Amino acid sequence: GAGVSQSPSNKVTEKGKDVELRCDPISGHTALYWYRQSLGQGLEFLIYFQGNSAPDKSGLPSDRFSAERTGGSVSTLTIQRTQQEDSAVYLCASSPGLLYGYTFGSGTRLTVV
Amino acid sequence: GESVGLHLPTLSVQEGDNSIINCAYSNSASDYFIWYKQESGKGPQFIIDIRSNMDKRQGQRVTVLLNKTVKHLSLQIAATQPGDSAVYFCAEAGGSQGNLIFGKGTKLSVKP
């Protein structure tokens, strides 16, 4: 598509439930990134995919977080047993590669109640 | 740890004036820097970038200046307009995975 697409745009979930957030990057972009933005804060890096390579998961905040990227395109960020501190906007971005500007999606606003 | 910070969290300017947003970065090995603009409810939008072999780059109404000696980055917006009101983030390609590290942002408010 023309831009980075994220779904859902908003998600309200109960504490302890699992959630899946989806990112569809710009066609042809090999690099895909997930960031988290808490209210009024900057962007916290979570994970990066380059093509089909296995990602470095060290940026994920806990083992409840996982991410995958299928076929070098669509990515899913999964949060298991959600906690209230997981509430944030989750942003996905893609780029043609390293040292290029990212194009961000509009994000998924996650609220854990 | 590595970080990118901003000198001013908020900036209020009169419409038509020039705006300057400053940023300090800590990783002297970073070789790529970007400014992003984020409007309420939207993802960050790319404004302008600069590589470390340059000290100045101009776009449409925007200029980015890089001073590697003091690890300082600035964004200048000429003739600021109400539509420029947003939060501005600087970012450096200094993350351990080559990812961008973002600062907390500066909120720019333009008074008509």
Side-chain angles (χ1 to χ4, degrees):
Chain A
V4 177
S5 178
Q6 291 188 248
S7 62
S9 55
N10 281 284
K11 177 71 176 179
V12 180
T13 190
E14 292 181 351
K15 178 181 175 181
K17 300 284 189 182
D18 298 351
V19 294
E20 280 191 356
L21 312 180
R22 175 188 168 104
C23 174
D24 199 343
I26 290 174
S27 178
H29 279 192
T30 59
L32 186 149
Y33 308 84
W34 284 99
Y35 283 79
R36 178 169 70 175
Q37 186 174 31
S38 300
L39 185 63
Q41 298 297 310
L43 282 70
E44 175 190 4
F45 172 71
L46 298 178
I47 195 166
Y48 153 61
F49 292 90
Q50 176 59 46
N52 293 320
S53 301
D56 180 337
K57 301 179 181 179
S58 60
L60 295 175
S62 79
D63 58 8
R64 296 185 294 103
F65 287 71
S66 63
E68 63 177 16
R69 187 179 186 191
T70 55
S73 181
V74 173
S75 177
T76 302
L77 178 69
T78 301
I79 309 173
Q80 296 178 309
R81 304 181 302 281
T82 52
Q83 303 295 313
Q84 288 186 328
E85 60 263 29
D86 299 333
S87 296
V89 175
Y90 289 82
L91 290 160
C92 175
S94 69
S95 74
L98 286 177
L99 298 187
Y100 287 90
Y102 300 176
T103 300
F104 280 90
S106 294
T108 293
R109 180 175 297 278
L110 175 66
T111 304
V112 182
V113 297
Chain B
E2 297 171 340
S3 66
V4 177
L6 293 158
H7 296 312
L8 296 173
T10 59
L11 179 64
S12 184
V13 301
Q14 203 70 37
E15 180 179 358
D17 287 352
N18 297 334
S19 303
I20 300 176
I21 302 172
N22 295 302
C23 175
Y25 64 94
S26 60
N27 188 348
S28 57
S30 293
D31 52 9
Y32 181 55
F33 305 86
I34 308 177
W35 280 99
Y36 282 90
K37 171 186 180 183
Q38 187 175 29
E39 297 173 287
S40 181
K42 298 183 179 179
Q45 177 186 5
F46 174 94
I47 301 174
I48 192 168
D49 60 359
I50 188 168
R51 300 189 189 275
S52 59
N53 60 350
M54 303 173 69
D55 53 21
K56 179 179 180 179
R57 188 159 188 233
Q58 290 184 292
Q60 187 177 13
R61 284 200 307 118
V62 295
T63 301
V64 55
L65 298 177
L66 175 63
N67 185 330
K68 295 182 288 293
T69 302
V70 295
K71 292 187 286 187
H72 185 267
L73 193 68
S74 68
L75 176 70
Q76 300 178 358
I77 304 174
T80 314
Q81 302 170 359
D84 295 327
S85 294
V87 176
Y88 289 80
F89 294 95
C90 63
E92 62 173 321
S96 59
Q97 299 182 43
N99 54 285
L100 293 179
I101 301 172
F102 288 80
K104 290 190 182 297
T106 292
K107 182 176 181 180
L108 176 65
S109 296
V110 182
K111 296 177 288 186

